[in-house]
Amino acid sequence: MRRRTGGEREDVDLRIDILTLFPEMFSGPFAGGMIRKATEAGICDLRVHDLRDWAHTAHRVVDDEVFGGGPGMVLKPEPIVAACEALVAKGTGRLVYLTPQGVPLDQTLAGRLALECGLVLLCGRYEGVDERALQILRPLEISIGDYVLTGGELPAMVLVDAVVRLLPGVLAAGAAAEDSFATGLLEGPQYTRPRVFRGLEVPEVLLSGDHARIAAWRRYEALRRTWRRRPELLRSAPLSAEDRRMLRAVMAEEPPAGRTQP
Ligand code: SAM
C-alpha cells in the first residue's frame, strides 16, 4: 500500500468518488481495459454516486431556473454541498470540479493527482453549478479543453483514465516514462511486426539490438517530432547538452511545420 486513504478501505492506492446526475454513463467505460484491471487489483477504488441521493425534496430536485433570467437550468447548491462535504469528510481526498473554466488538464497535473490519497470528482450539468457551492467548497477546478461539453461526466472519465494509468502497478514498469509529455517531449514513432509492410521498412536501428543506439535514435525522433508538431514544448522541456546538439541537427534538417489545422 502506498499510503492510507483514511476511508473505509486502506488497501488501495487511490480512491475516486464521482458525483453525477448520470451514474449509468460510467458503467461501460469503467467495465473494461486498464481501469478494470486497476480496480480488480485493488490499486484504485472507483465509486460513482448519484447526486439526487442528496436531494432531500419530494421529487429529488437538483436544479432550478437561472436567477436574472436566461435559458437553461443551474444545479442547486444544497445537494452539491451536502454530497461533497459528506464524501470529503470521509477523508477520501481532494475535491475537483470539472469545468471548462478550470485549469487545463495536462500530464503534469495528472501526475500530481495520481499522488493524492483520494479524489472526489464533481460533474456539472446544464448551465453549471450555483456559484455559492463553489465558494463554499473551493474545489480544484479542472478543464479538459477549450470547448464546452454537455456535462462533466466525459471530462471525469478522461481525468480518471489519465490519472489511473499513472498509478504504480497499472502499466508495465516504465511504460509511461517515455510517453508524450512525460519527458516534456512528444514520443517518437513506434513499430511492430511485420518488418516490412506495403514496402515500408522498420528503421534498421530498431532491429540492431544495440540498446545505446536505439535509445539515441528514439531521443532524436522524439526531438524531431516535437520540433515538427509542437515546437513550443521545447521551450520548457528539460534538455541535456546532447539533446541540444541533436535538436540543432533536427532544426538544420527541416523548418517547423507548426500544428496541422484542418
Ligand atoms: N455554462 C458553462 C460555461 O459557459 O462555462 C458551461 C456548462 S456545461 C454545458 C455543463 C457542465 O459540463 C459543466 O458544469 C462542467 O461540469 C462540464 N463541462 C463542459 N465542458 C467541460 C470542459 N471542457 N472541461 C470540463 N468540464 C466541462
Side-chain angles (χ1 to χ4, degrees), residues 97-101 122-129 142-153 155:
Y97 172 45
L98 284 312
T99 164
Q101 302 180 18
L122 171 60
C123 306
R125 274 273 156 178
Y126 315 127
E127 292 307 311
V129 170
I142 296 180
S143 165
I144 64 157
D146 287 350
Y147 42 81
V148 176
L149 299 168
T150 316
E153 288 75 15

Side-chain angles (χ1 to χ4, degrees), residues 12-133:
V12 293
D13 273 0
L14 180 64
R15 170 167 160 165
I16 304 178
D17 290 279
I18 298 170
L19 197 53
T20 169
L21 280 178
F22 298 93
E24 68 280 2
M25 283 181 70
F26 291 85
S27 47
F30 287 178
M34 177 266 304
I35 303 267
R36 178 175 171 185
K37 182 185 154 200
T39 47
E40 284 180 354
I43 296 168
C44 81
D45 179 9
L46 281 163
R47 300 179 186 210
V48 183
H49 308 270
D50 189 340
L51 179 59
R52 287 186 204 281
D53 292 345
W54 280 270
H56 301 301
T57 58
H59 300 289
R60 304 212 304 159
V61 174
V62 290
D63 57 337
D64 209 332
E65 294 167 354
V66 186
F67 267 132
M73 304 293 272
V74 174
L75 290 177
K76 290 163 69 60
E78 307 96 313
I80 286 179
V81 171
C84 291
E85 285 182 343
L87 293 172
V88 172
K90 285 185 177 168
T92 53
R94 184 89 183 246
L95 178 62
V96 172
Y97 172 45
L98 284 312
T99 164
Q101 302 180 18
V103 295
L105 177 63
D106 62 12
Q107 195 66 19
T108 305
L109 180 52
R112 272 179 37 214
L113 295 174
L115 296 174
E116 295 282 346
C117 294
L119 298 171
V120 177
L121 307 182
L122 171 60
C123 306
R125 274 273 156 178
Y126 315 127
E127 292 307 311
V129 170
D130 186 301
E131 188 66 22
R132 293 162 297 177

